[in-house]
Amino acid sequence: PVERVTLHTRLHGSWSWKEIPASLMGRRTYEATVGPFEKGQDLAAYYASASIGGMEYFAPDGAPQDSFLVTLV
C-alpha cells in the first residue's frame, strides 16, 4: 500500500526543497499544489516521491538531481 506521496518544489537554482504532502483524492489519485512562488521568478523545479511498501519511488526517475521545470508567469 501507498504510505505517503510528497511533492517537492523549489525555485530553480535554489538548494532547499519545500515538501508538500499530497492528499488522497480517490483510488490511486493524489493532489498537491505547486506554488505560490515569489513574483519576479522565472522557473521552478519540482518532483514527486512516494513511499510504497517501505520503498521510495521518484518521478522523474533521476530526482532530486533531475527534476521537472515549470515556467512561472
Side-chain angles (χ1 to χ4, degrees):
V2 176
E3 297 149 9
R4 177 181 41 80
V5 175
T6 305
L7 178 67
H8 307 263
T9 65
R10 69 179 180 188
L11 290 173
H12 187 59
S14 174
W15 289 99
S16 60
W17 292 95
K18 178 180 177 184
E19 295 185 358
I20 303 159
S23 300
L24 179 62
M25 302 303 292
R27 185 176 176 218
R28 297 185 295 180
T29 303
Y30 289 81
E31 177 182 65
T33 301
V34 177
F37 295 101
E38 296 177 23
K39 292 186 182 224
Q41 302 298 322
D42 295 330
L43 289 173
Y46 69 97
Y47 71 94
S49 66
S51 179
I52 304 170
M55 305 239 350
E56 286 290 317
Y57 296 90
F58 300 94
D61 286 336
Q65 294 81 5
D66 296 321
S67 57
F68 297 114
L69 293 176
V70 61
T71 302
L72 304 174
V73 293

